[in-house]
Amino acid sequence: LWEHIYRYKFALPYVRGRDVLDIACGEGYGTAAIKAAGANSVIGVDIDPGICNHARLRYGVDARVGDATSI
């Protein structure tokens, strides 16, 4: 958990005014943090349809099902 949090903390200063693709977004807390940090837009992608649905419902983010190896 802490490794993920530190990765997002590192990235947040760079997202303001940018369009961001959050690959392997998981449950969506990081995608929501990117949105709150001022990204123009952010799309989360994860392989698990259930976790994408959770991200949409809990954090209100645009989470889509996709395989990182196909992007």
Side-chain angles (χ1 to χ4, degrees):
L1 172 67
W2 289 109
E3 182 180 350
H4 291 163
I5 290 171
Y6 287 126
R7 286 181 186 174
Y8 283 111
K9 186 177 179 180
F10 171 82
L12 292 181
Y14 302 100
V15 301
R16 181 169 298 283
R18 297 181 184 265
D19 298 315
V20 179
L21 179 62
D22 184 11
I23 299 172
C25 68
E27 72 170 56
Y29 62 84
T31 310
I34 291 168
K35 184 177 176 182
N40 280 340
S41 66
V42 60
I43 298 171
V45 175
D46 201 276
I47 199 165
D48 184 331
I51 206 75
C52 287
N53 189 52
H54 172 82
R56 287 189 294 270
L57 294 175
R58 180 163 183 187
Y59 296 100
V61 296
D62 182 358
R64 303 178 190 188
V65 177
D67 184 342
T69 62
S70 298
I71 295 174

Coordinates of all heavy atoms in Angstrom, one line a residue:
L1 N 0.8 -1.2 0.0 CA 0.0 0.0 0.0 C 0.9 1.3 0.0 O 0.6 2.2 -0.8 CB -0.9 0.0 1.2 CG -1.7 1.3 1.4 CD1 -2.7 1.5 0.3 CD2 -2.4 1.3 2.8
W2 N 1.8 1.3 0.9 CA 2.7 2.5 1.0 C 3.4 2.8 -0.3 O 3.7 4.0 -0.7 CB 3.6 2.5 2.2 CG 2.8 2.6 3.5 CD1 2.5 1.6 4.4 CD2 2.1 3.8 3.9 NE1 1.7 2.1 5.4 CE2 1.4 3.4 5.1 CE3 2.0 5.1 3.4 CZ2 0.7 4.3 5.8 CZ3 1.2 6.0 4.2 CH2 0.6 5.6 5.3
E3 N 3.9 1.7 -0.9 CA 4.6 1.9 -2.2 C 3.7 2.6 -3.2 O 4.2 3.6 -3.9 CB 5.1 0.6 -2.7 CG 5.9 0.7 -4.0 CD 6.4 -0.6 -4.5 OE1 6.3 -1.7 -3.8 OE2 6.9 -0.6 -5.7
H4 N 2.5 2.2 -3.3 CA 1.6 2.9 -4.2 C 1.3 4.3 -3.9 O 1.3 5.2 -4.7 CB 0.2 2.1 -4.3 CG 0.3 0.8 -4.9 ND1 -0.7 -0.1 -4.7 CD2 1.2 0.2 -5.7 CE1 -0.4 -1.2 -5.3 NE2 0.7 -1.0 -5.9
I5 N 1.1 4.6 -2.6 CA 0.9 6.0 -2.1 C 2.1 6.9 -2.5 O 1.9 8.0 -3.0 CB 0.6 6.0 -0.6 CG1 -0.8 5.3 -0.4 CG2 0.6 7.4 -0.1 CD1 -1.2 5.1 1.0
Y6 N 3.3 6.4 -2.2 CA 4.5 7.2 -2.6 C 4.6 7.4 -4.1 O 5.1 8.5 -4.5 CB 5.7 6.5 -2.0 CG 5.8 6.7 -0.5 CD1 6.0 5.5 0.3 CD2 5.7 7.9 0.2 CE1 6.1 5.7 1.7 CE2 5.7 8.0 1.5 CZ 5.9 6.9 2.3 OH 6.0 7.0 3.7
R7 N 4.2 6.4 -4.9 CA 4.3 6.6 -6.3 C 3.4 7.8 -6.8 O 3.8 8.6 -7.6 CB 4.0 5.3 -7.1 CG 5.0 4.3 -7.0 CD 4.6 3.1 -7.8 NE 5.6 2.1 -7.6 CZ 5.5 0.8 -8.1 NH1 4.4 0.5 -8.7 NH2 6.5 -0.1 -7.9
Y8 N 2.2 7.7 -6.2 CA 1.2 8.8 -6.6 C 1.7 10.1 -6.0 O 1.6 11.2 -6.7 CB -0.2 8.5 -6.1 CG -0.9 7.5 -7.0 CD1 -1.2 6.2 -6.5 CD2 -1.3 7.8 -8.3 CE1 -1.8 5.3 -7.3 CE2 -1.9 6.9 -9.1 CZ -2.2 5.6 -8.6 OH -2.8 4.7 -9.4
K9 N 2.2 10.1 -4.8 CA 2.7 11.4 -4.2 C 3.8 12.0 -5.1 O 3.9 13.2 -5.3 CB 3.2 11.1 -2.8 CG 3.6 12.3 -2.1 CD 4.0 12.0 -0.6 CE 4.5 13.3 0.1 NZ 4.9 13.1 1.4
F10 N 4.7 11.1 -5.6 CA 5.8 11.6 -6.5 C 5.2 12.2 -7.8 O 5.7 13.2 -8.2 CB 6.7 10.4 -6.8 CG 7.7 10.7 -7.9 CD1 8.9 11.4 -7.6 CD2 7.5 10.4 -9.2 CE1 9.8 11.7 -8.5 CE2 8.4 10.7 -10.2 CZ 9.6 11.4 -9.9
A11 N 4.2 11.6 -8.3 CA 3.6 12.0 -9.6 C 2.8 13.2 -9.6 O 2.7 14.0 -10.5 CB 2.9 10.8 -10.3
L12 N 2.1 13.5 -8.4 CA 1.1 14.5 -8.4 C 1.6 15.9 -8.8 O 0.9 16.7 -9.5 CB 0.5 14.6 -7.0 CG -0.4 13.4 -6.6 CD1 -1.0 13.6 -5.3 CD2 -1.5 13.2 -7.7
P13 N 2.8 16.3 -8.5 CA 3.3 17.7 -8.9 C 3.4 17.9 -10.4 O 3.4 19.0 -10.9 CB 4.6 17.8 -8.2 CG 4.6 16.9 -7.1 CD 3.8 15.7 -7.5
Y14 N 3.4 16.8 -11.1 CA 3.5 16.8 -12.6 C 2.3 16.8 -13.4 O 2.3 16.8 -14.6 CB 4.5 15.7 -13.0 CG 5.8 15.7 -12.3 CD1 6.1 14.9 -11.3 CD2 6.8 16.6 -12.7 CE1 7.3 14.9 -10.6 CE2 8.0 16.7 -12.1 CZ 8.2 15.8 -11.0 OH 9.5 15.9 -10.4
V15 N 1.1 16.6 -12.8 CA -0.1 16.3 -13.5 C -1.0 17.6 -13.8 O -1.8 17.5 -14.7 CB -1.0 15.3 -12.8 CG1 -0.3 14.0 -12.6 CG2 -1.5 15.8 -11.5
R16 N -0.8 18.7 -13.1 CA -1.6 19.9 -13.3 C -1.6 20.3 -14.8 O -0.5 20.4 -15.4 CB -1.1 21.0 -12.5 CG -2.0 22.3 -12.6 CD -1.7 23.3 -11.6 NE -2.0 22.9 -10.3 CZ -3.2 22.9 -9.7 NH1 -4.3 23.2 -10.5 NH2 -3.4 22.5 -8.5
G17 N -2.8 20.4 -15.4 CA -2.9 20.9 -16.7 C -2.6 19.8 -17.8 O -2.6 20.1 -19.0
R18 N -2.5 18.6 -17.4 CA -2.1 17.5 -18.3 C -3.3 16.5 -18.4 O -4.1 16.4 -17.6 CB -0.9 16.8 -17.9 CG 0.3 17.7 -17.9 CD 1.6 16.9 -17.5 NE 2.7 17.8 -17.4 CZ 3.6 18.0 -18.4 NH1 3.5 17.4 -19.5 NH2 4.6 18.8 -18.2
D19 N -3.3 15.7 -19.5 CA -4.1 14.6 -19.7 C -3.4 13.3 -19.2 O -2.2 13.1 -19.7 CB -4.6 14.4 -21.1 CG -5.3 15.6 -21.6 OD1 -6.2 16.1 -20.9 OD2 -5.1 16.2 -22.7
V20 N -3.9 12.6 -18.3 CA -3.2 11.5 -17.7 C -3.9 10.1 -17.9 O -5.1 10.0 -17.8 CB -3.1 11.7 -16.1 CG1 -2.3 10.6 -15.5 CG2 -2.4 13.1 -15.9
L21 N -3.1 9.1 -18.2 CA -3.6 7.8 -18.3 C -3.0 7.0 -17.1 O -1.8 6.9 -17.1 CB -3.2 7.1 -19.6 CG -3.6 5.7 -19.8 CD1 -5.2 5.5 -19.8 CD2 -3.1 5.2 -21.2
D22 N -3.8 6.5 -16.2 CA -3.3 5.8 -15.0 C -3.5 4.3 -15.3 O -4.6 3.7 -15.1 CB -4.1 6.3 -13.8 CG -3.6 5.6 -12.5 OD1 -2.6 5.0 -12.5 OD2 -4.3 5.8 -11.5
I23 N -2.5 3.7 -15.8 CA -2.5 2.2 -16.1 C -2.4 1.4 -14.8 O -1.5 1.7 -14.0 CB -1.4 1.9 -17.1 CG1 -1.6 2.7 -18.4 CG2 -1.4 0.4 -17.4 CD1 -0.5 2.6 -19.4
A24 N -3.2 0.4 -14.7 CA -3.3 -0.5 -13.5 C -3.7 0.4 -12.3 O -3.1 0.4 -11.3 CB -2.0 -1.2 -13.2
C25 N -4.8 1.1 -12.5 CA -5.3 2.0 -11.5 C -5.9 1.4 -10.2 O -6.0 2.1 -9.2 CB -6.4 2.9 -12.1 SG -7.9 2.1 -12.5
G26 N -6.1 0.1 -10.3 CA -6.7 -0.5 -9.1 C -8.0 0.1 -8.6 O -8.8 0.4 -9.5
E27 N -8.1 0.2 -7.3 CA -9.4 0.7 -6.8 C -9.8 2.1 -7.1 O -10.9 2.6 -6.9 CB -9.6 0.4 -5.4 CG -8.8 1.2 -4.4 CD -9.2 1.0 -3.0 OE1 -9.1 -0.2 -2.5 OE2 -9.6 2.0 -2.3
G28 N -8.8 2.9 -7.6 CA -9.1 4.3 -8.0 C -8.7 5.4 -7.1 O -8.9 6.6 -7.5
Y29 N -8.1 5.2 -6.0 CA -7.8 6.3 -5.1 C -6.7 7.2 -5.7 O -6.7 8.4 -5.5 CB -7.4 5.8 -3.7 CG -6.2 4.9 -3.6 CD1 -4.9 5.4 -3.6 CD2 -6.3 3.5 -3.6 CE1 -3.8 4.6 -3.6 CE2 -5.2 2.7 -3.6 CZ -3.9 3.3 -3.6 OH -2.8 2.4 -3.5
G30 N -5.8 6.6 -6.4 CA -4.7 7.3 -7.0 C -5.2 8.1 -8.2 O -4.8 9.3 -8.4
T31 N -6.1 7.5 -9.0 CA -6.7 8.2 -10.1 C -7.5 9.4 -9.6 O -7.4 10.5 -10.2 CB -7.7 7.3 -10.9 OG1 -7.0 6.0 -11.1 CG2 -8.2 7.9 -12.2
A32 N -8.2 9.3 -8.5 CA -8.9 10.4 -7.9 C -8.0 11.5 -7.4 O -8.2 12.7 -7.6 CB -9.8 9.9 -6.7
A33 N -6.8 11.1 -6.9 CA -5.8 12.0 -6.4 C -5.3 12.8 -7.6 O -5.0 14.0 -7.5 CB -4.7 11.3 -5.6
I34 N -5.0 12.2 -8.7 CA -4.5 12.8 -9.9 C -5.5 13.9 -10.4 O -5.2 15.0 -10.7 CB -4.2 11.8 -11.0 CG1 -3.0 11.0 -10.6 CG2 -4.0 12.5 -12.4 CD1 -2.8 9.7 -11.5
K35 N -6.8 13.5 -10.4 CA -7.9 14.4 -10.8 C -7.9 15.6 -9.8 O -8.0 16.8 -10.3 CB -9.2 13.7 -10.7 CG -10.4 14.4 -11.2 CD -11.6 13.5 -11.2 CE -12.9 14.3 -11.6 NZ -14.1 13.4 -11.5
A36 N -7.8 15.4 -8.5 CA -7.9 16.5 -7.6 C -6.6 17.4 -7.6 O -6.7 18.5 -7.2 CB -8.0 15.9 -6.1
A37 N -5.5 16.8 -8.1 CA -4.3 17.6 -8.2 C -4.3 18.5 -9.4 O -3.3 19.2 -9.6 CB -3.1 16.7 -8.2
G38 N -5.3 18.5 -10.2 CA -5.4 19.5 -11.3 C -5.2 19.0 -12.7 O -5.0 19.8 -13.6
A39 N -5.2 17.7 -12.9 CA -5.1 17.1 -14.3 C -6.3 17.6 -15.1 O -7.4 17.7 -14.6 CB -5.1 15.6 -14.2
N40 N -6.0 17.9 -16.4 CA -7.1 18.3 -17.3 C -8.1 17.1 -17.4 O -9.3 17.4 -17.4 CB -6.6 18.6 -18.7 CG -6.0 20.0 -18.8 OD1 -6.3 20.9 -18.0 ND2 -5.2 20.2 -19.8
S41 N -7.6 16.0 -17.5 CA -8.4 14.8 -17.6 C -7.6 13.6 -17.1 O -6.4 13.6 -17.1 CB -8.9 14.5 -19.0 OG -7.8 14.2 -19.8
V42 N -8.3 12.6 -16.6 CA -7.6 11.4 -16.2 C -8.5 10.2 -16.4 O -9.7 10.2 -16.2 CB -7.1 11.4 -14.7 CG1 -8.3 11.6 -13.7 CG2 -6.3 10.2 -14.3
I43 N -7.9 9.1 -17.0 CA -8.6 7.9 -17.3 C -7.8 6.8 -16.5 O -6.5 6.7 -16.7 CB -8.7 7.6 -18.8 CG1 -9.5 8.6 -19.5 CG2 -9.2 6.2 -19.0 CD1 -9.4 8.5 -21.0
G44 N -8.4 6.0 -15.7 CA -7.8 4.9 -15.1 C -8.1 3.6 -15.9 O -9.2 3.5 -16.4
V45 N -7.1 2.8 -16.0 CA -7.3 1.5 -16.8 C -6.9 0.4 -15.8 O -5.8 0.4 -15.2 CB -6.4 1.5 -18.0 CG1 -6.5 0.1 -18.7 CG2 -6.9 2.6 -19.0
D46 N -7.7 -0.7 -15.8 CA -7.3 -1.9 -15.0 C -7.9 -3.1 -15.7 O -8.9 -3.0 -16.4 CB -7.9 -1.8 -13.6 CG -7.1 -2.7 -12.6 OD1 -7.5 -3.9 -12.5 OD2 -6.1 -2.2 -12.0
I47 N -7.3 -4.2 -15.5 CA -7.8 -5.5 -16.1 C -9.0 -6.1 -15.5 O -9.7 -6.8 -16.1 CB -6.6 -6.5 -16.2 CG1 -6.9 -7.5 -17.2 CG2 -6.4 -7.1 -14.8 CD1 -5.7 -8.4 -17.6
D48 N -9.3 -5.7 -14.3 CA -10.4 -6.3 -13.5 C -11.7 -5.4 -13.7 O -11.8 -4.3 -13.1 CB -10.0 -6.4 -12.1 CG -11.0 -7.1 -11.2 OD1 -12.3 -7.0 -11.5 OD2 -10.6 -7.7 -10.2
P49 N -12.7 -5.9 -14.3 CA -14.0 -5.2 -14.5 C -14.6 -4.8 -13.1 O -15.1 -3.7 -13.0 CB -14.9 -6.1 -15.2 CG -14.0 -7.1 -15.9 CD -12.8 -7.2 -15.0
G50 N -14.5 -5.7 -12.1 CA -15.1 -5.4 -10.8 C -14.4 -4.2 -10.1 O -15.1 -3.4 -9.5
I51 N -13.1 -4.2 -10.2 CA -12.4 -3.1 -9.6 C -12.6 -1.8 -10.3 O -12.6 -0.7 -9.7 CB -10.9 -3.5 -9.4 CG1 -10.2 -2.7 -8.2 CG2 -10.1 -3.2 -10.7 CD1 -10.6 -3.2 -6.9
C52 N -12.7 -1.8 -11.6 CA -13.1 -0.6 -12.4 C -14.4 -0.1 -12.0 O -14.6 1.2 -11.8 CB -13.1 -0.9 -13.9 SG -11.4 -1.1 -14.6
N53 N -15.4 -0.9 -11.8 CA -16.7 -0.5 -11.3 C -16.6 0.1 -9.9 O -17.2 1.1 -9.7 CB -17.7 -1.7 -11.3 CG -19.1 -1.3 -11.0 OD1 -19.6 -0.4 -11.7 ND2 -19.7 -1.9 -10.0
H54 N -15.8 -0.5 -9.0 CA -15.6 0.1 -7.7 C -15.0 1.5 -7.8 O -15.4 2.4 -7.1 CB -14.7 -0.9 -6.9 CG -14.2 -0.3 -5.6 ND1 -15.0 -0.4 -4.5 CD2 -13.1 0.4 -5.3 CE1 -14.4 0.2 -3.5 NE2 -13.2 0.7 -3.9
A55 N -14.0 1.6 -8.7 CA -13.4 3.0 -8.8 C -14.4 4.0 -9.3 O -14.4 5.1 -8.8 CB -12.2 2.9 -9.8
R56 N -15.2 3.6 -10.2 CA -16.2 4.6 -10.7 C -17.2 4.9 -9.6 O -17.6 6.1 -9.4 CB -17.0 4.0 -11.9 CG -16.2 3.9 -13.2 CD -17.0 3.5 -14.4 NE -17.5 2.2 -14.3 CZ -16.8 1.1 -14.7 NH1 -15.7 1.2 -15.3 NH2 -17.4 -0.1 -14.6
L57 N -17.7 3.9 -8.9 CA -18.7 4.2 -7.8 C -18.1 4.9 -6.6 O -18.8 5.8 -6.1 CB -19.3 2.8 -7.4 CG -20.2 2.1 -8.5 CD1 -20.7 0.8 -8.0 CD2 -21.3 3.0 -8.9
R58 N -17.0 4.4 -6.1 CA -16.5 5.0 -4.9 C -15.8 6.4 -5.1 O -15.9 7.3 -4.3 CB -15.5 4.0 -4.2 CG -14.9 4.6 -3.0 CD -14.3 3.6 -2.1 NE -13.8 4.2 -0.9 CZ -13.1 3.5 0.0 NH1 -12.8 2.3 -0.2 NH2 -12.7 4.2 1.1
Y59 N -15.0 6.5 -6.2 CA -14.2 7.7 -6.4 C -14.7 8.6 -7.5 O -14.2 9.7 -7.7 CB -12.8 7.3 -6.6 CG -12.1 6.6 -5.4 CD1 -12.0 5.3 -5.4 CD2 -11.7 7.4 -4.3 CE1 -11.4 4.6 -4.3 CE2 -11.2 6.8 -3.2 CZ -11.0 5.4 -3.2 OH -10.5 4.8 -2.1
G60 N -15.7 8.2 -8.3 CA -16.2 9.0 -9.4 C -15.3 9.2 -10.5 O -15.3 10.3 -11.1
V61 N -14.4 8.3 -10.7 CA -13.4 8.5 -11.8 C -13.8 7.7 -13.0 O -14.6 6.8 -13.0 CB -12.0 8.0 -11.3 CG1 -11.5 8.9 -10.2 CG2 -11.9 6.6 -10.9
D62 N -13.2 8.0 -14.1 CA -13.4 7.3 -15.4 C -12.4 6.1 -15.4 O -11.3 6.3 -15.7 CB -13.1 8.3 -16.6 CG -13.3 7.6 -17.9 OD1 -13.7 6.4 -18.0 OD2 -13.1 8.3 -18.9
A63 N -12.9 5.0 -15.0 CA -12.1 3.8 -15.0 C -12.6 2.8 -16.0 O -13.8 2.5 -16.1 CB -12.2 3.1 -13.6
R64 N -11.7 2.4 -16.9 CA -12.0 1.5 -18.0 C -11.3 0.2 -17.9 O -10.1 0.2 -17.5 CB -11.7 2.2 -19.3 CG -12.4 3.5 -19.4 CD -12.1 4.2 -20.7 NE -12.5 5.6 -20.7 CZ -12.5 6.4 -21.8 NH1 -12.0 5.9 -22.9 NH2 -12.9 7.6 -21.7
V65 N -11.9 -0.9 -18.4 CA -11.3 -2.2 -18.4 C -10.3 -2.2 -19.6 O -10.6 -1.9 -20.7 CB -12.3 -3.3 -18.6 CG1 -11.6 -4.7 -18.7 CG2 -13.3 -3.3 -17.4
G66 N -9.1 -2.7 -19.3 CA -8.1 -2.8 -20.3 C -6.9 -3.5 -19.8 O -6.6 -3.6 -18.6
D67 N -6.1 -4.1 -20.7 CA -4.9 -4.9 -20.4 C -3.7 -4.0 -20.8 O -3.5 -3.6 -21.9 CB -4.9 -6.1 -21.2 CG -3.8 -7.1 -20.9 OD1 -2.7 -6.6 -20.3 OD2 -3.9 -8.2 -21.3
A68 N -2.9 -3.7 -19.8 CA -1.7 -2.9 -20.0 C -0.8 -3.4 -21.1 O -0.1 -2.6 -21.8 CB -0.9 -2.7 -18.7
T69 N -0.7 -4.7 -21.3 CA 0.1 -5.2 -22.3 C -0.4 -5.0 -23.7 O 0.3 -5.1 -24.7 CB 0.4 -6.7 -22.2 OG1 -0.9 -7.4 -22.2 CG2 1.0 -7.0 -20.8
S70 N -1.7 -4.5 -23.8 CA -2.3 -4.2 -25.1 C -2.3 -2.7 -25.5 O -2.8 -2.3 -26.5 CB -3.7 -4.7 -25.1 OG -3.8 -6.1 -24.9
I71 N -1.8 -1.9 -24.6 CA -1.9 -0.5 -24.8 C -0.7 0.0 -25.6 O 0.4 -0.4 -25.3 CB -1.9 0.3 -23.4 CG1 -3.2 0.0 -22.7 CG2 -1.8 1.8 -23.6 CD1 -3.4 0.5 -21.3

